[in-house]
Amino acid sequence: MYFTDFDFEDEILDALDAMRFEECTPIQEQTIQPLMDGRDLIGVAQTGTGKTAAYLLPVLNKLCQGGYPEDAINCVIMAPTRELAQQIDRQLEGFTYFMPVSGVAVYGGNDGQRYEQELRGMAKGADIIVATPGRLISHINLGNIDLSKVSFFILDEADRMLDMGFYNDIMTIAKQLPKERQTMLFSATMPEEIRRLASNILTDPLQITLALAKPADGITQQAYICHEGQKPGIIKDIFKDESSERVILFTSRKTKVKEISLMLKKQGFNVGEMHSDLSQSERDEIMFLYKSRKIDIIVATDILARGIDIDDIRIVINYDVPRDCDDYIHRIGRTARAGTKGRAITFVSEEDQEYFKRIEDFIEQDVPKLAVPAELGEAPAYEPKKKEAPKKGRGKNGKNSGNRHKRNNKGNTQAKKGNEKPQARQDNGKPQGEQQQGKCPRHRRRPNHKNRNKADNNKKAE
């Protein structure tokens, strides 16, 4: 399905044409029309599938049609992190290039100049506010923002926001909004807490669920079964014969980030760090250096697993195995975006083998195991412990003792299956949007579809 199959206003079509958006991804194909019809909606799909455009385009189309107050905030988009808020704001700038729709990003860690910009945008009634929960709550408490006329409320990566403890903040913000509004919730997973949140803030929502927890086809997954002390040597061996550029190395703790970063610097690698102890300006500086190729490797916590707009990452290394299967999907999903190819390498220590086996069961495939370099010594065998079912029998007291010492076997969760169509080649992470697509022979041209030349000439401006 193509974007031109929807009844978008000409200004939307101009922006899509300038940004070379042509073919819809499955989540866009299934959600855009219900949202244009005014339905509340829950969209469940993994990151990198084009969810941002799926909710932005219907909202912008309605604002473009008019009938909404010009001096009030009409739409609030919530994002869990500053990085994702910035990414959404950049895509919003691209889509609104040909229309008089204003927006402002509201997030913490800014200097005074940025804070004043937020205040001006909210005071003048920017059409769309893209905000992190904590920062928006601060502005509400200070009386800086009026949300009484909001028509659209959007939660992006809702599962991540709840993981970060923002449930109460979201409910506080929702109480500031009119009851008559259109609400959209997008998430990569659908745990019980998300269902509870949805039942409290959405009205008769349509739920669209695509196949979850499946790595992109372009990702070559590999693993090293190793001892903890062998991991530095494996990294050195990986980059012995190839470039170390465009690499992200994930670890679960920020203290480990600092240790690994120092170790890699001693090995001669060009390294930057990304974790929650950094200020926003420090994070921005690291991302700038990485995008400009002045840094080759970023060592990061899961703060970088979502919401970054870098489309040419070659290798993702999991220095340790994430405890949550979804976190594994998000980490390795930083590579092989927009139809490209990439590698995901995971270091599996003896204590991590059980967790990695759960991931393999979850994605329904065995990840190829690479041999540890011989000079690093003997590596452990891959023998993830299998928890046995409790034996039923009678104890000394004559009662059934089979469940007295029952182990907490979480089991191996199987990935949900769906009928998701092959993903369109989108989501290249450029500032203009999540995707870049080629020309389509079915592109519809309207008689008054204007500004073609202007769109092509100013493509870089977005």
Side-chain angles (χ1 to χ4, degrees), residues 22 29 47 140 147 153 166 178 193 200 277 311 319 360 370 375 385 402 408 417 427 444 455:
E22 295 291 348
E29 181 176 332
T47 59
I140 290 173
L147 302 178
F153 185 42
F166 287 133
E193 195 173 13
N200 288 331
D277 280 351
D311 63 339
Y319 198 85
E360 289 184 310
L370 303 179
E375 62 269 21
K385 296 179 182 179
N408 182 21
K417 298 181 180 180
D427 198 3
R444 179 180 66 194

Side-chain angles (χ1 to χ4, degrees), residues 219-234:
I219 303 175
T220 299
Q221 299 179 68
Q222 301 169 329
Y224 284 92
I225 310 304
C226 59
H227 296 294
E228 189 71 24
Q230 293 174 321
K231 293 180 180 181
I234 296 174

Side-chain angles (χ1 to χ4, degrees), residues 415-432:
K416 297 181 181 178
K417 298 181 180 180
N419 296 320
E420 183 177 0
K421 297 179 181 179
Q423 181 176 325
R425 290 195 300 172
Q426 299 195 13
D427 198 3
N428 68 359
K430 293 184 181 294
Q432 294 92 338

Side-chain angles (χ1 to χ4, degrees), residues 200-267:
N200 288 331
I201 66 173
L202 281 82
T203 302
D204 187 27
L206 173 67
Q207 181 169 332
I208 304 294
T209 302
L210 301 184
L212 301 177
K214 293 294 183 182
D217 292 336
I219 303 175
T220 299
Q221 299 179 68
Q222 301 169 329
Y224 284 92
I225 310 304
C226 59
H227 296 294
E228 189 71 24
Q230 293 174 321
K231 293 180 180 181
I234 296 174
I235 294 176
K236 192 171 184 178
D237 184 75
I238 290 173
F239 299 117
K240 181 172 60 178
D241 299 319
E242 67 172 300
S243 171
S244 60
E245 294 181 351
R246 318 312 288 161
V247 176
I248 295 181
L249 188 152
F250 284 106
T251 187
S252 299
R253 300 188 306 275
K254 57 189 176 185
T255 53
K256 203 73 173 290
V257 169
K258 300 171 184 178
E259 294 174 5
I260 296 170
S261 178
L262 180 60
M263 175 267 293
L264 291 176
K265 288 177 181 177
K266 289 180 178 179
Q267 289 188 2

Side-chain angles (χ1 to χ4, degrees), residues 79-86 107 132 160 164 283 303 306-307:
T81 64
R82 307 162 187 169
E83 288 76 19
L84 182 57
Q86 291 170 329
Y107 50 84
T132 54
R160 179 80 184 278
M164 297 171 68
R283 293 191 203 180
I303 193 174
R306 307 191 198 185

